[in-house]
Amino acid sequence: FKKAKGDIFCYINSDDILHPNTLAIVAEIFMKNKNYDLIYGDMNIIDHSGQYLYTHCYRNIFRNEFNCYTQALVGQPSAFWKSKVFKKLNNFDNSFKLASDYDFFAKLIIDENIKYKYIPICFSSFRVHNDTLSSKYKGINLLEVSKIRSRYQSSFIIKVISKTITFFYRFFSIFRYGSSRLLYLTNF
């Protein structure tokens, strides 16, 4: 990001894919909604050969529920943010080897001055296979996420409400992307 010069930032892993027209759609959303600092959407999950597995549907989230989950509530390859907030929040915390993006999104969501919006569009495909860093070093990733979550504690009531909302959102998202969502629902 030190070499990036644009107003809007994003990044994808070397084997992930931005969908056609994603950058044009994102640019239009930011131009029409100048107050947004972060937008994020859904992402397809694909296997090592690019075969579609399912769509991970996200939703609007509340500021104080971000740390209720070990899975991110913002999909990294389907997230786009203004460069000024990236600099304001001191970039990524490089002390985290695998979860620096999780920490960055937590800081974005928790900050009362940051305006964010979920857009129900599938912006990207995220590839899962045994050779990804998060698969190879799952234990390290979970430890880093746990450390980040402990920084931003939520009350028990917030956690229960958040889990309930997420369950119903996942249930109703079946109708948006079809039966492939049933695979994801079982992973709740």
Side-chain angles (χ1 to χ4, degrees):
F1 288 106
K2 289 180 181 177
K3 294 183 180 185
K5 297 187 186 332
D7 295 329
I8 307 300
F9 284 179
C10 73
Y11 82 95
I12 61 170
N13 298 315
S14 62
D15 56 355
D16 297 338
I17 301 166
L18 284 179
H19 290 183
N21 300 317
T22 289
L23 296 178
I25 293 167
V26 167
E28 184 175 340
I29 291 168
F30 274 113
M31 283 191 290
K32 289 183 177 179
N33 303 280
K34 297 194 184 299
N35 59 326
Y36 293 161
D37 297 306
L38 163 71
I39 64 167
Y40 61 98
D42 300 329
M43 69 181 179
N44 288 337
I45 306 300
I46 57 176
D47 68 13
H48 68 284
S49 65
Q51 291 295 317
Y52 171 83
L53 299 173
Y54 62 91
T55 300
H56 189 115
C57 293
Y58 292 92
R59 63 175 174 82
N60 286 310
I61 55 177
F62 304 104
R63 291 195 188 280
N64 53 0
E65 74 171 320
F66 191 90
N67 71 328
C68 296
Y69 300 91
T70 54
Q71 280 189 316
L73 292 176
V74 174
Q76 165 261 310
S78 287
F80 306 85
W81 58 91
K82 290 184 178 173
S83 59
K84 68 180 184 179
V85 299
F86 187 72
K87 293 168 186 162
K88 174 188 170 194
L89 296 176
N90 297 319
N91 308 322
F92 285 163
D93 182 345
N94 291 327
S95 69
F96 298 111
K97 300 303 175 205
L98 298 172
S100 59
D101 56 345
Y102 183 92
D103 180 64
F104 175 71
F105 291 129
K107 290 187 287 189
L108 277 172
I109 298 300
I110 290 167
D111 188 317
E112 296 281 334
N113 297 312
I114 303 296
K115 304 289 186 247
Y116 59 89
K117 178 72 175 164
Y118 163 70
I119 308 295
I121 297 173
C122 193
F123 289 126
S124 68
S125 290
F126 181 81
R127 195 176 308 268
V128 292
H129 54 82
N130 292 335
D131 291 331
T132 63
L133 291 176
S134 53
S135 292
K136 283 183 176 179
Y137 306 104
K138 195 172 201 160
I140 294 170
N141 190 43
L142 289 174
L143 284 173
E144 289 183 355
V145 167
S146 178
K147 184 176 178 181
I148 293 163
R149 289 174 65 216
S150 69
R151 286 183 181 178
Y152 314 109
Q153 284 297 327
S154 290
S155 71
F156 176 75
I157 297 296
I158 294 296
K159 290 178 183 179
V160 169
I161 291 169
S162 178
K163 295 273 187 185
T164 304
I165 291 169
T166 298
F167 172 79
F168 283 108
Y169 188 81
R170 287 180 178 169
F171 176 76
F172 289 113
S173 71
I174 291 171
F175 304 107
R176 185 159 30 134
Y177 289 111
S179 61
S180 65
R181 295 289 296 139
L182 288 173
L183 295 172
Y184 183 64
L185 276 175
T186 60
N187 195 16
F188 183 70

